[in-house]
Amino acid sequence: MSAAPTKLLLAAPRGYCAGVDRAVQTVERALELHGAPVYVRKEIVHNKHVVETLRAKGAIFIDELDDTVPEGAMTVFSAHGVSPMVHAEAERRQLRTIDATCPLVTKVHREAVKFAQDGYTIVLIGHDGHEEVEGTMGEAPDHIVLVETEADVDALELEDPSRVAYISQTTLSVDETKTIINRLRERFPQITGPRTDDICYATTNRQSAVKQMAPICDLVLVIGSQNSSNSNRLVQVSEELGTAAHLIDNAGQIDDTWLDGVETVGISSGASAPEELVQEVVEFFRARGTSDISEFEVMKEDVRFMLPKPIRVAMAAAESA
């Protein structure tokens, strides 16, 4: 067993954001109100532990609304959002649907529709293949082009450079996205964008906390799954500041060799990672003798989102029955 670090710092804010909390609760309430199975298109949020916990309760996760979903089945759309084609397919199959799309992702969808209606070519900053990007592009597929890097911006050839707008995935690196937006403005001086930043408050706040915590740490551990965009960005933020960082699903993935010569460990977690996983990591170190454990609070969050209307209606009906 390696020597334990002398100090643990717990980044705050960390973990669940309002959109994730709403999405997970949506599946839990759907199971309680309607019984199993409840079908969920894609992972409700990008976290292995959450998906496995909900699967054990009766959720069935599917990639697409194919014939494996019985006609009329209760189906939840994930927090990452879906395209109009998916909604249309669900209607054709007469599925009973609950849309758990994060309201901040819905905001980006509405921006895409509005810019397209106004005749703009839309540059979407995001990661190719990410579910959020696929859903957003589906809102106006003939009007949207995707860029991931400044090089992608340099390669853009647009029909009307005077009618260009940009939007972005909600879980990107704040600094990287600013750099890409600046490059877009250099290339297309008349470009327009959303009235408020598309990168969500939770992504921004968690990156800010790690940005301030990492310089006083020897190692940063980020709890989150490999397919979680915002969790990967937290690792990136730490590494860019020169502090070693690793993305782990749980305490069982901590490698003893990471701890050699380490005095202070910072811990954060992605917006889809439950707090119980953070506490398991804290207990891992406490069991090794680390006793100096403190919160590294950068700001408080008090954002809450209402549950989707079908859940609220069903809950009210159940209470009055």
Side-chain angles (χ1 to χ4, degrees):
M1 185 181 288
S2 298
T6 57
K7 181 184 287 190
L8 283 190
L9 295 176
L10 308 180
R14 63 179 178 273
Y16 271 16
C17 63
V20 164
D21 188 44
R22 174 182 185 267
V24 174
Q25 279 198 58
T26 294
V27 179
E28 291 173 340
R29 297 292 89 78
L31 286 164
E32 291 168 8
L33 292 161
H34 303 290
V38 168
Y39 291 84
V40 184
R41 185 184 179 276
K42 307 293 187 181
E43 294 186 351
I44 186 68
V45 297
H46 285 159
N47 185 269
K48 276 186 183 178
H49 177 82
V50 171
V51 169
E52 290 306 317
T53 299
L54 292 173
R55 184 177 280 127
K57 292 179 179 180
I60 297 176
F61 293 90
I62 55 171
D63 281 332
E64 298 297 344
L65 304 181
D66 56 21
D67 293 335
T68 60
V69 184
E71 194 167 288
M74 180 61 64
T75 307
V76 177
F77 297 143
S78 81
H80 308 105
V82 298
S83 72
M85 284 183 63
V86 175
H87 284 286
E89 175 64 10
E91 190 172 338
R92 187 186 71 78
R93 299 282 313 285
Q94 297 183 334
L95 302 179
R96 294 177 293 156
T97 60
I98 304 171
D99 191 352
T101 301
C102 173
L104 299 179
V105 173
T106 299
K107 165 187 174 287
V108 180
H109 282 219
R110 286 175 178 157
E111 289 164 356
V113 171
K114 178 69 166 60
F115 283 136
Q117 288 173 343
D118 291 344
Y120 286 93
T121 296
I122 304 161
V123 179
L124 171 59
I125 306 166
H127 297 305
D128 190 20
H130 191 280
E131 287 149 41
E132 183 184 329
V133 165
E134 290 176 352
T136 302
M137 293 189 76
E139 292 287 357
D142 297 333
H143 293 263
I144 299 179
V145 294
L146 179 68
V147 300
E148 298 188 72
T149 64
E150 287 181 88
D152 291 341
V153 174
D154 292 338
L156 283 176
E157 295 295 337
L158 304 182
E159 189 175 326
D160 184 355
S162 68
R163 296 289 289 176
V164 184
Y166 72 84
I167 55 178
S168 78
Q169 186 180 331
T170 63
T171 55
L172 301 178
S173 160
V174 174
D175 293 338
E176 243 180 51
T177 304
K178 281 180 182 173
T179 301
I180 293 171
I181 291 170
N182 288 339
R183 186 70 190 113
L184 281 167
R185 286 179 173 145
E186 288 172 7
R187 280 218 60 201
F188 309 104
Q190 296 179 62
I191 196 168
T192 187
R195 282 181 292 178
T196 57
D197 197 353
D198 283 338
I199 296 180
C200 82
Y201 78 93
T203 297
T204 302
N205 292 350
R206 278 147 193 72
Q207 288 180 27
S208 179
V210 169
K211 194 177 288 187
Q212 293 181 52
M213 181 181 71
I216 56 175
C217 296
D218 303 302
L219 171 70
V220 169
L221 297 177
V222 176
I223 300 159
S225 292
Q226 293 295 326
N227 61 341
S228 167
S229 175
N230 77 89
S231 300
N232 278 286
R233 301 293 79 73
L234 295 177
V235 172
Q236 180 184 346
V237 165
S238 181
E239 290 177 339
E240 286 175 351
L241 290 167
T243 302
H246 298 281
L247 181 62
I248 58 173
D249 271 301
N250 51 55
Q253 293 182 351
I254 297 172
D255 188 328
D256 279 350
T257 62
W258 300 343
L259 306 177
D260 290 343
V262 167
E263 294 292 320
T264 302
V265 174
I267 297 173
S268 185
S269 52
S272 48
E275 179 62 15
E276 64 190 90
L277 298 180
V278 174
Q279 294 309 315
E280 285 178 12
V281 172
V282 170
E283 289 307 315
F284 170 90
F285 286 110
R286 188 174 274 131
R288 291 178 166 225
T290 304
S291 57
D292 186 351
I293 302 168
S294 59
E295 294 274 325
F296 186 87
E297 187 174 81
V298 171
M299 65 193 73
K300 290 188 182 294
E301 287 180 347
D302 58 1
V303 180
R304 297 287 182 274
F305 294 140
M306 285 194 303
L307 290 170
K309 187 176 180 180
I311 292 291
R312 288 184 276 121
V313 169
M315 288 172 68
E319 286 172 9
S320 62

